[in-house]
Amino acid sequence: MTHSNGRRRVVVTGQGVVTPLGTGVDKFWAAMKGSACGIREVQSFDTQDLYITIAGEVPDFDPRERLKSKQLMLADKYSQYAGCAAHEAVTQSKLEYPIKDADGYRAACIIGSGVGGLTTLEFSYKMLFKENKRATHPLTLLKAIGSSASAHVSIEYGIKGPTFGVVSACSTATHSIGLTYRMIREGLVDVGIAGAAEASLNWGATRAWQAMRVLSPDGLWPFSKKRNGTVLAEGAGILMLEEYERARDRGAPILAELMGYGMTADAADMVNPSIDGASTAMQQALDDAALAPSDIDYVNAHGTATLVNDINETRAIKRVFGNAANKLSISSTKSMHGHCLGAGGGIEAIAAIKAMQENFVPPTVGLDDPDPECDLDYTPNAGKTRDINYVMSNSFAFGGLNAVLVFGPPPA
């Protein structure tokens, strides 16, 4: 089936997550509906000489239980997270694998990461410079590179078409999903596994983030007057995307339609976001979906709880939505799962799709005293039921790299 403009339609047939709120979409969504928070004191490394001691660590991930691939067992944690989330998405989609013969060349695997195997690199540097070892682990390079997650997943499912990793900081997953959507829409491929994974919680990375003075020692409170920075987290968010008629004909579960995608760059500042870049990406996504601002019911905001980002995102939403902004439900689910960096957009896209499926707006927790300049409906502390037909998911990254997705209900 094509749109009236002749484009092929793209649907979501599977979802998979690894998050600080739990592994698996059902567990993740139930935690968000209950306003749970996955941000807690760090357990995986020594924080004695750090002043940032909290993070969103994945609590229930044992690769021996979660993974079947022997190659993934030897991979960096970020690739293991990607493999686990991809398996959930593929299983839900009922796709038969490995994909056989020429069909493999009609499939894509676009899985990115903001920094790749950073924990592998830290371990290697420790061996070389602290323990004075003469060599690192022989798989160090393969584990660390930012395309290893996509390569592992392509091997697992027999994907022989476009396979690579995208890197765009905190917009990585959203760009990955958007590029895969465009490939399917334009006929380059028929199916794609898309998203991102991140596992960069370690001592060295925390020291680097501390130096930027953008982390909160207390918690992540988007749009709140008390907000004082973001909180690092880890995980993965993966979607299975397919051309609609193909998915329908094989009896796949159709969860949503991916209708619009926008991407811009601020070309202004590495840290401070621009209203122009964010608002233009949102407008592009709406135009791509052929929707009016008033059609959107829920926006999963980027909402990092940094001072400038939250104000500028509020202003950008107002610029695009006009009077319809006052009827929107908005939330930053980062308040519950933390800032999963490159993986965030995939996790948040799934939250937006679940919101649409269940007509339930997840909350922004910790929003007791809103910033007067963040004066939209950010769904404080507790989620709520409302009719949700179309949703938007925003990702606005360091470097001014913006990506926005719009989802709607399955085609009639």
Side-chain angles (χ1 to χ4, degrees):
M1 180 185 288
T2 60
H3 284 288
S4 58
N5 58 16
R7 298 187 328 202
R8 304 202 315 168
R9 303 181 79 166
V10 181
V11 294
V12 180
T13 59
Q15 306 175 111
V17 294
V18 175
T19 82
L21 293 171
T23 295
V25 172
D26 289 345
K27 190 171 184 178
F28 164 69
W29 180 244
M32 285 202 297
K33 288 184 75 173
S35 302
C37 184
I39 296 168
R40 56 185 69 86
E41 287 291 317
V42 169
Q43 302 295 316
S44 62
F45 58 93
D46 185 6
T47 61
Q48 186 173 356
D49 60 347
L50 302 173
Y51 72 85
I52 298 297
T53 62
I54 59 172
E57 294 181 299
V58 173
D60 58 350
F61 191 88
D62 183 343
R64 294 168 297 182
E65 296 178 1
R66 298 285 182 181
L67 304 171
K68 296 181 180 179
S69 165
K70 292 181 180 179
Q71 293 188 59
L72 271 173
M73 290 294 293
L74 297 173
D76 185 88
K77 190 188 293 186
Y78 100 94
S79 291
Q80 294 180 345
Y81 286 168
C84 179
H87 180 73
E88 182 182 17
V90 171
T91 300
Q92 184 178 26
S93 77
K94 300 179 181 178
L95 183 76
E96 292 187 8
Y97 64 88
I99 302 173
K100 296 179 180 179
D101 305 322
D103 287 344
Y105 293 100
R106 299 288 301 170
C109 183
I110 315 301
I111 299 176
S113 178
V115 294
L118 198 60
T119 299
T120 289
L121 290 177
E122 182 181 68
F123 177 77
S124 299
Y125 293 147
K126 181 182 177 183
M127 289 176 65
L128 290 173
F129 303 126
K130 189 174 181 179
E131 299 176 4
N132 296 315
K133 298 292 177 67
R134 298 183 64 183
T136 66
H137 190 282
L139 297 180
T140 297
L141 179 60
L142 293 179
K143 294 171 71 172
I145 57 177
S147 58
S148 59
S150 58
H152 275 294
V153 173
S154 77
I155 292 168
E156 188 80 359
Y157 300 106
I159 294 172
K160 299 179 180 179
T163 296
F164 52 87
V166 169
V167 181
S168 55
C170 311
S171 292
T172 296
T174 306
H175 274 126
S176 299
I177 293 165
L179 290 174
T180 306
Y181 154 71
R182 292 288 297 270
M183 288 182 193
I184 297 172
R185 192 185 78 180
E186 307 303 333
L188 181 63
V189 298
D190 301 316
V191 60
I193 299 174
E198 208 78 82
S200 59
L201 292 179
N202 57 50
W203 182 87
T206 304
R207 287 296 293 263
W209 278 88
Q210 277 189 177
M212 285 192 68
R213 304 289 179 182
V214 295
L215 296 184
S216 168
D218 309 308
L220 198 157
W221 301 301
F223 309 108
S224 173
K225 190 183 292 184
K226 68 181 179 181
R227 71 186 185 279
N228 60 352
T230 198
V231 176
L232 299 180
E234 61 181 353
I238 302 290
L239 296 181
M240 173 67 88
L241 302 178
E242 294 188 54
E243 189 273 323
Y244 168 59
E245 289 186 351
R246 179 187 190 279
R248 181 198 62 194
D249 290 348
R250 72 176 187 85
I254 297 177
L255 310 177
E257 181 176 7
L258 177 45
M259 301 178 66
Y261 171 50
M263 53 179 168
T264 65
D266 294 350
D269 192 278
M270 285 297 294
V271 178
N272 293 319
S274 139
I275 298 171
D276 290 342
S279 61
T280 301
M282 284 190 276
Q283 188 62 58
Q284 286 180 355
L286 286 171
D287 293 344
D288 193 39
L291 294 175
S294 58
D295 291 324
I296 301 295
D297 300 300
Y298 169 63
V299 174
N300 188 294
H302 188 57
T304 59
T306 53
L307 181 64
V308 177
N309 176 85
D310 289 4
I311 292 173
N312 279 14
E313 186 168 12
T314 299
R315 292 172 178 170
I317 290 171
K318 288 180 177 180
R319 178 182 292 184
V320 172
F321 285 85
N323 292 333
N326 295 318
K327 299 179 182 179
L328 277 175
S329 289
I330 307 168
S331 63
S332 171
T333 53
K334 286 183 177 71
S335 61
M336 294 178 279
H337 55 68
H339 194 345
C340 297
L341 306 177
I347 292 167
E348 292 157 22
I350 291 168
I353 292 169
K354 291 297 291 184
M356 181 176 62
Q357 288 180 311
E358 299 201 8
N359 291 309
F360 184 85
V361 181
T364 302
V365 303
L367 185 51
D368 303 313
D369 188 10
D371 184 330
E373 294 191 67
C374 301
D375 55 354
L376 298 174
D377 179 8
Y378 286 110
T379 320
N381 297 313
K384 63 183 179 183
T385 299
R386 67 163 285 177
D387 289 337
I388 301 176
N389 296 303
Y390 299 98
V391 297
M392 175 180 283
S393 183
N394 289 341
S395 297
F396 306 136
F398 277 167
L401 312 179
N402 309 301
V404 177
L405 300 169
V406 169
F407 297 92

